[in-house]
Amino acid sequence: MDVFLIAFLVFGLLVLFSCFFTVKQQTAVVIERFGKFLSIRNSGLQLKIPIIDRIAGRVNLRIQQLDVIIETKTKDNVFVKMKVSVQFKVIQEKVYEAFYKLEYPHDQITAYVFDVVRAEVPKLKLDDVFERKDDIAIAVKRELNEAMMAYGYDIINTLVTDIDPDIQVKNAMNRINAADREKTAAEFESEAQRIRIVAKAKAEAESKRLQGQGIADQRREIARGLVESVEVLNNVGINSQEASALIVVTQHYDTLQAIGADTNSNLILLPNSPQAGSDMLNNMVASFTASNQVGEVMKNTPKRIKKKNDHTSTDYNPSDTSNPTEEV
């Protein structure tokens, strides 16, 4: 008797405890009675009738993510693999539809993603697929929302998280990008080289201008010094020809002195002897004297009338620029 009583009490306790169950946060529990839908219980401690009522299933109300890998081709016949991430959740007010109307929601969402992506991507070239991936994601979300709302699912967002073309296509794209960057680099290098050349040419031109100006100033001062030297020599009774010759000889020896003062100079002047300076002076004085005499003779020579069509040396004076006339 005691054994049956203990067994009955144990059974009664089990039945009593089976009346209570808990539901986690962001979860909904579907209760059935004799196989028929009874109610939906939300989070907290809940009560059901043992044996008669049972928990048919639990529905997750949190946001879930489904990653779909799709292989399709573009308008320019390039095959690509795309990864589309779909974020969705069950609408709390439509737990019944989500639990009873759709048995495999992930397969249903995957099918719609395949359908939309394979309808949109073949309209675009490969470059446009990368640039307009957001448009593809929006199209997927719009199509899924229209289809899945009736089943109690809300599509939060869709993201095209990866676009992976064939390895050969990626290598070709990398080569194109590298060639384009090399072209741009070459253009910049050419422009930099041109700027350097122009700047160098301007610097050289300015240097030559300043150098020429310096040489001109130097020669102007040398000429002024020579004039002063000639005037000084004229004051002591030396004529201009002798003074000029003396100055040239003096500069000749100054040049020799400057060359000899340079310890690294290996210049040899041949011939070069003390008699050479005297000969130079005499030759220059004689040449200046002869030049003056020739000039005086040409000044004193009367002009002759040139005969037309007669250009003999006796009738032609090089210094005469008059027009030929007819002989009377």
Side-chain angles (χ1 to χ4, degrees):
M1 185 68 180
D2 294 336
V3 175
F4 287 104
L5 180 60
I6 295 174
F8 180 78
L9 291 176
V10 171
F11 178 76
L13 290 175
L14 292 175
V15 171
L16 179 63
F17 283 126
S18 64
C19 295
F20 301 94
F21 65 96
T22 58
V23 181
K24 294 182 179 180
Q25 187 67 32
Q26 290 299 103
T27 304
V29 172
V30 178
I31 302 298
E32 293 180 350
R33 176 171 294 176
F34 297 117
K36 182 181 179 180
F37 171 75
L38 177 63
S39 64
I40 296 173
R41 309 292 176 86
N42 295 317
S43 59
L45 180 63
Q46 301 292 337
L47 179 64
K48 66 180 179 67
I49 300 175
I51 301 174
I52 298 176
D53 298 338
R54 73 178 188 90
I55 298 175
R58 298 175 183 267
V59 178
N60 187 0
L61 300 180
R62 292 191 293 268
I63 297 176
Q64 305 175 60
Q65 177 168 310
L66 175 64
D67 294 330
V68 182
I69 306 297
I70 310 164
E71 184 175 12
T72 183
K73 79 176 186 67
T74 61
K75 187 176 182 180
D76 46 356
N77 296 323
V78 177
F79 281 88
V80 294
K81 288 184 178 180
M82 302 180 62
K83 180 180 179 181
V84 180
S85 299
V86 181
Q87 298 173 350
F88 65 95
K89 71 174 183 177
V90 176
I91 302 174
Q92 190 168 3
E93 293 78 12
K94 294 186 177 183
V95 174
Y96 176 86
E97 289 82 355
F99 186 79
Y100 285 103
K101 288 187 176 182
L102 199 61
E103 185 173 4
Y104 301 108
H106 288 188
D107 294 344
Q108 188 83 358
I109 293 173
T110 300
Y112 276 107
V113 172
F114 266 81
D115 182 66
V116 175
V117 171
R118 287 183 172 174
E120 294 292 331
V121 173
K123 300 177 183 177
L124 305 174
K125 293 184 178 180
L126 180 61
D127 293 338
D128 296 333
V129 172
F130 284 93
E131 294 177 2
R132 299 178 58 182
K133 66 182 187 66
D134 291 338
D135 296 339
I136 299 173
I138 292 173
V140 173
K141 179 181 178 181
R142 181 176 60 250
E143 186 73 17
L144 283 175
N145 262 331
E146 293 177 358
M148 302 301 293
M149 188 67 68
Y151 301 110
Y153 285 88
D154 181 22
I155 306 302
I156 305 299
N157 202 3
T158 56
L159 303 171
V160 178
T161 57
D162 189 21
I163 301 174
D164 186 20
D166 186 79
I167 185 64
Q168 296 180 355
V169 176
K170 289 195 289 186
N171 292 335
M173 294 175 66
N174 291 333
R175 288 197 300 271
I176 293 173
N177 189 23
D180 185 62
R181 292 182 180 275
E182 289 178 358
K183 177 183 176 182
T184 304
E187 291 176 354
F188 278 106
E189 289 177 358
S190 300
E191 181 66 17
Q193 184 69 17
R194 185 189 68 82
I195 293 173
R196 284 195 294 268
I197 293 174
V198 171
K200 183 178 179 181
K202 289 182 178 179
E204 290 180 354
E206 182 67 14
S207 175
K208 295 295 183 182
R209 186 185 69 81
L210 295 176
Q211 184 179 1
Q213 182 178 351
I215 293 173
D217 293 341
Q218 179 185 13
R219 290 177 178 175
R220 190 180 301 111
E221 293 300 324
I222 291 174
R224 187 177 302 165
L226 291 176
V227 171
E228 294 176 356
S229 299
V230 171
E231 290 177 354
V232 171
L233 292 175
N234 287 336
N235 292 334
V236 297
I238 301 175
N239 59 31
S240 298
Q241 290 81 7
E242 293 175 347
S244 299
L246 180 60
I247 291 172
V248 172
V249 172
T250 303
Q251 290 181 343
H252 173 71
Y253 281 106
D254 289 341
T255 303
L256 293 178
Q257 183 180 2
I259 294 173
D262 188 1
T263 58
N264 296 324
S265 176
N266 54 4
L267 179 64
I268 299 176
L269 297 178
L270 294 175
N272 187 21
S273 63
Q275 185 65 26
S278 177
D279 294 340
M280 183 186 298
L281 178 60
N282 294 332
N283 292 335
M284 294 184 68
V285 171
S287 63
F288 285 147
T289 302
S291 177
N292 289 335
Q293 290 176 357
V294 172
E296 292 295 333
V297 171
M298 292 182 67
K299 289 180 182 179
N300 297 328
T301 301
K303 295 182 180 179
R304 296 181 182 180
I305 298 174
K306 293 187 289 185
K307 298 178 182 181
K308 189 174 183 182
N309 300 325
D310 188 1
H311 300 288
T312 60
S313 59
T314 57
D315 293 329
Y316 180 71
N317 185 359
S319 62
D320 184 6
T321 59
S322 63
N323 294 324
T325 60
E326 293 287 348
E327 184 179 4
V328 180

